[in-house]
Amino acid sequence: KNLDKNLLNFSKNYLAAKPFPHVIIDNFLEYECIANTLKGFKNVNWASYNHFNEKKSGNKTTNFDPLLKKTIEALNSEEFLEYLEKITGIQSLIPDRQLGSGGVHRSTKGGYLNIHADFTVHPYNKNWHRRVNLLLYLNDVWEESWGGELEFWDKKMKNCVKKITPLLNRCVIFNTDYDSFHGHPEPMTCPENVYRKSIALYYYTNTKSKVKKVATNYKARPKDNIFKK
């Protein structure tokens, strides 16, 4: 109902947003659905992704708790893709139902993800061009002082244009171009028993020729020291 009522505004805001097309949709899922998704999220088997550019945990299998799996399947459904195409203006979007990319993420105190533009080609389907990201935050408790905001940077990596607090049931949808620079680069200061949690889903289009393959392109900020740059 929320999408139906506001679809025109969402699309208009998406295309006009800076520094690249995006939209923020609060109260995205109905109460019962977000509550069930949180319950299912408690049963994820986590793998650590810790290296110079990120400190977090994730899981991109499809072997999830049924309550969590149901939400992911809904966001990859034909019905939702129709909404997504109308919002983004990108036609013939393909969901990654097998989660060869994306999945679920969480991080806690000290966690971060350096600013980057995403990889451009699906890991297993070489003609799939990555076009759109969807992030759904599942943080039932979050204080702004803990950090963890999603940052959007301009194409020249001179300025952070927008910061988005990862509040419960907030959905962020944005284009994944070669210069859609984003991340949450500051180590978080939340308590160690508190997690920044999200579902991350990626959508593609099929191209007749091979897409220019670019790996995740990490970028330093102007204030970063020489070592980090």
Side-chain angles (χ1 to χ4, degrees):
K1 291 179 181 178
N2 186 30
L3 288 173
D4 282 328
K5 181 180 178 181
N6 297 290
L7 190 60
L8 190 60
N9 282 336
F10 288 152
S11 177
K12 181 179 178 180
N13 292 338
Y14 188 93
L15 296 174
K18 303 296 182 183
F20 44 81
H22 70 271
V23 69
I24 302 166
I25 306 175
D26 287 330
N27 302 311
F28 184 65
L29 300 180
E30 292 186 357
Y31 174 79
E32 183 179 0
C33 185
I34 194 69
N36 284 337
T37 305
L38 285 168
K39 290 177 184 176
F41 205 91
K42 294 178 180 179
N43 299 318
V44 173
N45 294 317
W46 295 103
S48 293
Y49 302 158
N50 292 338
H51 56 75
F52 188 82
N53 281 306
E54 64 181 342
K55 183 180 180 183
K56 65 180 182 182
S57 298
N59 187 315
K60 59 180 183 177
T61 69
T62 55
N63 187 27
F64 292 127
D65 182 291
L67 291 173
L68 175 59
K69 189 173 183 179
K70 189 173 182 180
T71 301
I72 292 174
E73 288 176 346
L75 294 175
N76 282 330
S77 68
E78 293 299 326
E79 180 183 9
F80 182 69
L81 254 66
E82 288 184 16
Y83 285 115
L84 201 58
E85 289 174 354
K86 290 175 182 177
I87 290 171
T88 64
I90 301 173
Q91 300 303 307
S92 303
L93 288 173
I94 302 169
D96 187 4
R97 292 193 173 93
Q98 300 304 314
L99 295 184
S101 58
V104 294
H105 298 143
R106 76 172 187 179
S107 50
T108 188
K109 185 176 182 180
Y112 63 91
L113 174 61
N114 282 337
I115 302 298
H116 64 283
D118 290 307
F119 61 86
T120 58
V121 177
H122 188 275
Y124 314 130
N125 299 282
K126 302 308 179 186
N127 289 338
W128 284 17
H129 183 191
R130 185 168 167 181
R131 306 296 301 280
V132 176
N133 278 12
L134 180 149
L135 303 177
L136 176 61
Y137 292 111
L138 303 173
N139 307 309
D140 41 354
V141 177
W142 198 263
E143 297 183 10
E144 288 192 25
S145 62
W146 295 342
E149 297 101 337
L150 175 64
E151 298 184 5
F152 286 167
W153 282 70
D154 62 30
K155 294 180 179 182
K156 295 184 178 181
M157 280 300 299
K158 298 295 184 183
N159 297 289
C160 176
V161 176
K162 181 170 286 189
K163 291 186 178 182
I164 303 167
T165 303
L167 300 178
L168 176 66
N169 208 9
R170 171 171 282 176
C171 179
V172 184
I173 302 169
F174 59 97
N175 274 17
T176 52
D177 297 319
Y178 295 98
D179 48 13
S180 297
F181 296 119
H182 63 282
H184 60 100
E186 293 294 331
M188 299 186 302
T189 61
C190 57
E192 292 185 357
N193 62 338
V194 172
Y195 293 94
R196 182 187 189 274
K197 299 170 291 188
S198 63
I199 295 173
L201 299 178
Y202 312 144
Y203 303 88
Y204 299 79
T205 53
N206 199 353
T207 59
K208 294 180 180 179
S209 57
K210 286 188 176 180
V211 183
K212 179 183 176 183
K213 186 174 182 180
V214 178
T216 303
N217 182 16
Y218 290 99
K219 291 287 187 178
R221 299 168 294 171
K223 73 173 187 177
D224 289 333
N225 61 39
I226 293 174
F227 173 71
K228 187 163 187 176
K229 289 180 180 180

